Structures are given as C-alpha cells and as structure tokens.
Amino acid sequence: MTKAIDPASLKSADRQTPEVDPARVTLQHGGQLWREYMVRVPADFVADDLKTPSVWRKVQAGSRNALRKFDRVFVVSYDESWVAEAIVASADSKGVVLAKPRVTTMPARYDALFQDELYRVAWNGFGYVVERKADGHAMTQATANPELATRLLVQLYPARAS
C-alpha cells in the first residue's frame, strides 16, 4: 500500500530572481518619443522572470539607461537560446512592467565550436573564450568570433623554436 502525500506538506524551492545588470543595458536608438535598448540578462535568468518588475531595480536606480514608458526592449538570454521583445508599460525607481513580452526561441548552433582534449571554445555571455575542460576556467579574454578564439586556443600550446 502506498502512502498518500499531503499537498500542503510540499514546499516549492525558493528561487532568487536575478536582477539585470545596468552595464548590460545598451542603447540601440534614442528617438524623440521612445528609445530602443538591447539587454543581456544573467545566466540564471529565465524568460518568465520578465514578468517580475523588480528584476529591473538596479537599472532603474540612477542608471543613465533607466527605462521609461513606451521604450522598446530587446532582451537576449545569457546563452542566446531565446530572445524577447517588449514595450515598457510603466516604469519607476523600483522596477519596470513590460507589456506582453514576445519570446522567441533561437535554434541550436548548426556547427559545433572547436575543442580538443584539453580546451574548448565556449560562449561566456560577452564573447567567445577558450575554457579549460578540467575546471571550466576561462584561459583567454572574450573575443568577437569563434575563429579568433580557436586561434588563441592553438597559441596556448608551446611552439617549436627554430
């Protein structure tokens, strides 16, 4: 016989909602009536967090890119697996309410990033870096494209002196 589970005894995992970093909010276009921004959200940010006004608290607290009503926002996830487009419905110093964010799932990469037995090229949210496979440590600075990161990976190995 199985034991019945009381639904009241189940507790949901308390998850801290991550906040958007003001340094990751970039002005795309500033018009006469509204502005357009591109925002890269933290790694643990999910699309459903866009419904929480308080995730924008740091952006609204004195940032030069504080959002205003009718501004357009283009949100990109940390790993670029989804993007969202929205219009600011209301904004104050405590947060931002977005009107119906339209979320689009991006397709997976068609070609795999280069890797060998010790290192791999990976996206870190800012650009492409070379990571050590053993511990995930970034061995290079972020680069603009995977080809440059692959070149830096090759340079990590010693070269034969002539």
Side-chain angles (χ1 to χ4, degrees):
M1 185 162 107
T2 60
K3 184 178 177 182
I5 297 175
D6 179 21
S9 68
L10 297 176
K11 294 181 182 177
S12 65
D14 289 334
R15 178 180 168 269
Q16 289 284 30
T17 306
E19 293 184 345
V20 176
D21 180 7
R24 307 301 292 154
V25 177
T26 307
L27 179 66
Q28 157 63 18
H29 175 73
Q32 288 182 315
L33 302 177
W34 64 76
R35 301 168 299 168
E36 295 177 357
Y37 288 97
M38 179 173 170
V39 180
R40 288 193 180 268
V41 294
D44 51 349
F45 199 97
V46 295
D48 204 42
D49 291 336
L50 294 173
K51 297 176 185 175
T52 309
S54 63
V55 300
W56 302 94
R57 186 183 57 81
K58 288 181 182 177
V59 175
Q60 294 301 102
S63 167
R64 66 183 173 94
N65 288 331
L67 302 174
R68 298 186 299 222
K69 189 173 185 172
F70 301 125
D71 282 350
R72 271 59 170 169
V73 182
F74 183 76
V75 180
V76 179
S77 69
Y78 182 83
D79 62 357
E80 297 184 346
S81 62
W82 58 268
V83 297
E85 299 171 274
I87 298 173
V88 175
S90 68
D92 59 18
S93 62
K94 295 176 283 212
V96 172
V97 175
L98 299 178
K100 282 194 172 181
R102 184 177 57 195
V103 178
T104 304
T105 303
M106 302 298 282
R109 288 189 63 90
Y110 178 73
D111 54 341
L113 296 174
F114 181 79
Q115 60 180 330
D116 63 11
E117 60 277 351
L118 297 177
Y119 304 106
R120 72 174 148 251
V121 174
W123 173 259
N124 77 346
F126 299 100
Y128 294 93
V129 296
V130 176
E131 283 185 348
R132 187 169 44 219
K133 285 183 176 181
D135 59 1
H137 176 73
M139 301 297 293
T140 63
Q141 295 290 326
T143 63
N145 57 52
E147 291 80 17
L148 183 55
T150 302
R151 187 180 316 159
L152 293 175
L153 185 151
V154 172
Q155 291 175 359
L156 289 174
Y157 292 100
R160 181 180 287 185
S162 305

